[in-house]
Amino acid sequence: QVQLVESGGGLVQAGGSLRLPCAASGTIFSGNAMGWYRQAPGKRREKVAVISYDGSANYADSAKGRFTISRDNAKNTMYLQMNSLKPEDTALYYCAEGRFFANVLAGVADYWGQGTQVTVFS
């Protein structure tokens, strides 16, 4: 069992920045993959970024050039640095974790956090 806790969300003006951490605890598989997904009202959950244990990252087109995913394996913590935020980035952001990178990339992660709300206003 893995527990994931996201934080760092909040209200931010368009053009601003937020940094979201996700702390993992419990029985964590060595070499796990982690990722960020988001879900806006009325929309399906969508990939934001996924990162392998060794730091290889995969970004959604909407995140490229603005968001950076990173992780600190010693702390079992993943981060999403979000810059140049837009109103369309408004969503509930979820942390995901899984044994297999391909599964996390496909949105079928083994574990999910509770979500942290990001609201971007003009």
Side-chain angles (χ1 to χ4, degrees), residues 32-35 49-53 55-58 69-71 78 101:
N32 69 348
M34 301 185 75
V50 178
I51 187 167
S52 69
Y53 186 82
S56 179
N58 179 281
I69 188 171
S70 62
R71 61 190 294 168
M78 174 184 63
F101 181 84

Side-chain angles (χ1 to χ4, degrees), residues 2 4 22 28-38 45-53 56-60 69 71 78 94-113:
V2 175
L4 303 171
C22 170
I28 303 168
F29 291 117
S30 178
N32 69 348
M34 301 185 75
W36 289 97
Y37 282 72
R38 68 187 184 187
R45 186 175 60 197
E46 65 177 4
K47 181 186 71 178
V48 178
V50 178
I51 187 167
S52 69
Y53 186 82
S56 179
N58 179 281
Y59 294 93
I69 188 171
R71 61 190 294 168
M78 174 184 63
Y94 293 95
C95 175
E97 188 270 352
R99 177 66 182 86
F100 302 106
F101 181 84
N103 287 353
V104 177
L105 188 65
V108 287
D110 296 326
Y111 298 97
W112 297 88

Side-chain angles (χ1 to χ4, degrees), residues 7-9 17-21 36 70 78-82 85:
S7 59
S17 299
L18 285 174
R19 187 170 188 252
L20 309 181
W36 289 97
S70 62
M78 174 184 63
Y79 305 90
L80 183 67
Q81 177 67 47
M82 304 187 293
L85 283 162

